[in-house]
Amino acid sequence: RHYSICGIEGLNKGEIMFAVKIADKNGHKALVSHYLCDELQEGDTIEISSPCGSFLLDFELIHNNEIPLVLISTGSGLTPLLCMLERQVKENKDRPIIWIQSNKEQKDRAFKEQVDKLLSCNDKNINIEIFTQEGDSRINLDLLKKHVTKESDVYICGGIDFMKDMFNYMYLLQVKRVHHDSFGPIIL
């Protein structure tokens, strides 16, 4: 079966686009990431199944222009959020969107053109890009206080330590709607 995960402009029916991060941590290779990068070639066909989690955009809020959509990620965690961003813009361009993405360096930013194009559809949208190895501070409580309210509809995706920090910040901000996906088990 073929699944269109993101449905990003420019893709043909049955094609998908996704980001893969290669990191050898403690001498261990990630099974799927390394297979995708080391073994597959552009144009290869693979069999995949639908996503396993329930990390989906809240469709009841897509047309609510009073509750901002806040998308927060680090590294390749932006991949599922990009799909949500695209869906939101397709269904309702008037809803305010706050995109907060952290990377080590500007060269690490994936899907730059797609994100910029999607966010440009509404002058209320805010695009915050953080590059930690270029002098920017990490995403912190002070930054989030400026952009996230208790009523925000927040989606977070990233590594375990990042997720723990974001959960703590959302708790301190008393955010009611927090959705998440992580790259590993979360222990709260």
Side-chain angles (χ1 to χ4, degrees), residues 139-164:
I139 299 171
N140 57 46
L141 186 59
D142 289 335
L143 172 76
L144 295 172
K145 280 181 183 178
K146 295 177 187 174
H147 301 286
V148 180
T149 66
K150 291 179 187 180
E151 291 74 30
S152 295
D153 187 25
V154 178
Y155 295 79
I156 307 169
C157 188
I160 294 171
D161 291 337
F162 171 78
M163 296 297 287
K164 286 180 182 178

Side-chain angles (χ1 to χ4, degrees), residues 3-19:
Y3 294 90
S4 175
I5 294 176
C6 291
I8 295 173
E9 275 185 46
L11 291 180
N12 296 317
K13 186 173 182 155
E15 292 181 333
I16 61 170
M17 179 185 293
F18 54 91

Side-chain angles (χ1 to χ4, degrees), residues 115-126:
V115 171
D116 290 346
K117 182 178 179 182
L118 289 165
L119 290 172
S120 71
C121 72
N122 182 341
D123 60 3
K124 295 180 205 168
N125 293 342
I126 298 170

